[in-house]
Amino acid sequence: MSSLSGKEVLITRARHQADTLKERLESRGAGVTAVPLLSFVKRDSEENVRLLENLASYDWVLITSTNGVWFFNELIREYLEAVPEGLKYATVGPKTKLALEEEGRTVSFLPSSYSAEFLVKEWVPMLESNERVLYVRGNLSRETVREGLKEHHISFDSMTAYDTLILEEKAAELQDRLRNESWDALTFFSPSAVEAFCELSGTLCNRALDLPCFCIGPTTERQAADAGFTNIQSPATFTAEALIEKMEEYFTEKG
């Protein structure tokens, strides 16, 4: 029997991202509450159209999230008849790599550890000085990659393909659940999710600060710590599967 059996877990991911995680937790006997706190919206802009029209001028397309893949493809379908030949793709993690491959794109670089820091450390130095990069990102993406490209004097443009929005209409539901339900664990997959949880829960956020808080990635950990969470757990590998394994390890030790 899994150590998650009978545990109550809150998932804060966007609805289209939460289903698989919910199924995996439930298969281990956990009770799952899914309250999506964020939504993602494609950014239609003249700048994005200009960048797409010049897509053939780039050597690499760097996409660091599955949302980036989704909205990049949506923009391509809307504004281009075909993707230029010869583009190379780089990404941070296996899920983004898989999403690109499902669109028929071959990923030429994946770092040995799935983080922006390792991408900068391993990929940026291997780029030729005359190569150009299109960096596809969300509006709240970290500056790690941009700073790394600038530091190595790589020519690049940024495309903000989507915007992350806090679902203000979820405030009442989240606060009601905090008053009337109890969870054994919280999950956060981005700093934005931590921020949204604290904003939407208001003063009731204090009720959750001592709960085990399972986070993906060091920036999410830091955001949780800054928000006042006191029991932060994070897997070494930044994937949903690793997060569940970390959760099982934690509850095996704690009971």
Side-chain angles (χ1 to χ4, degrees):
M1 179 182 294
S2 170
S3 62
L4 294 180
S5 181
K7 303 300 182 185
E8 295 294 330
V9 181
L10 173 68
I11 298 176
T12 58
R13 301 195 84 181
R15 190 176 305 280
H16 71 281
Q17 298 172 318
D19 289 346
T20 300
L21 179 62
K22 183 175 185 290
E23 290 171 2
R24 288 174 177 166
L25 287 168
E26 288 178 338
S27 72
R28 289 164 168 81
V32 179
T33 301
V35 183
L37 305 181
L38 300 172
S39 66
F40 305 97
V41 180
K42 179 181 64 176
R43 180 181 288 192
D44 280 306
S45 67
E46 293 182 1
E47 173 66 6
N48 282 348
V49 174
R50 182 187 69 80
L51 292 170
L52 287 174
E53 289 174 343
N54 290 284
L55 192 55
S57 69
Y58 298 98
D59 300 282
W60 287 87
V61 177
L62 168 63
I63 310 182
T64 56
S65 71
T66 54
N67 281 324
V69 175
W70 170 263
F71 289 106
F72 181 63
N73 288 330
E74 286 293 297
L75 288 165
I76 284 176
R77 281 190 276 268
E78 185 169 352
Y79 294 109
L80 292 184
E81 292 184 3
V83 179
E85 297 290 335
L87 284 173
K88 293 176 286 188
Y89 292 86
T91 189
V92 170
K95 291 296 176 121
T96 312
K97 179 177 182 289
L98 178 60
L100 280 165
E101 290 173 343
E102 287 176 345
E103 291 290 332
R105 318 259 167 83
T106 299
V107 175
S108 300
F109 184 85
L110 185 72
S112 60
S113 184
Y114 309 141
S115 70
E117 287 78 9
F118 270 82
L119 179 86
V120 169
K121 178 181 177 181
E122 297 175 355
W123 176 64
V124 175
M126 67 174 264
L127 296 174
E128 300 292 337
S129 59
N130 62 340
E131 289 188 302
R132 299 188 69 224
V133 176
L134 179 63
Y135 173 29
V136 179
R137 65 202 296 263
N139 65 313
L140 299 182
S141 296
R142 298 164 55 203
E143 293 300 308
T144 303
V145 172
R146 286 164 53 93
E147 291 170 0
L149 290 167
K150 288 178 181 177
E151 183 179 343
H152 288 80
H153 306 289
I154 301 299
S155 175
F156 76 97
D157 289 310
S158 291
M159 171 188 282
T160 303
Y162 66 95
D163 294 291
T164 304
L165 307 176
I166 294 178
L167 292 173
E168 302 291 345
E169 64 270 24
K170 289 294 182 178
E173 178 185 354
L174 182 61
Q175 291 176 25
D176 182 65
R177 289 182 179 277
L178 280 165
R179 289 189 189 96
N180 299 299
E181 300 179 21
S182 60
W183 294 304
D184 298 291
L186 311 177
T187 63
F188 296 116
F189 281 73
S190 68
S192 303
V194 178
E195 180 184 355
F197 180 88
C198 295
E199 177 180 324
L200 298 179
S201 59
T203 57
L204 293 172
C205 182
N206 293 331
R207 298 191 179 193
L209 295 180
D210 293 331
L211 291 174
C213 173
F214 292 84
C215 298
I216 288 288
T219 55
T220 308
E221 286 185 74
R222 286 195 290 271
Q223 185 69 38
D226 290 344
F229 287 95
T230 61
N231 187 357
I232 301 169
Q233 306 291 324
S234 183
T237 303
F238 307 147
T239 64
E241 292 84 355
L243 187 80
I244 294 173
E245 290 176 6
K246 181 70 175 180
M247 201 179 293
E248 285 190 307
E249 290 172 6
Y250 175 85
F251 286 113
T252 296
E253 293 177 4
K254 297 296 181 180

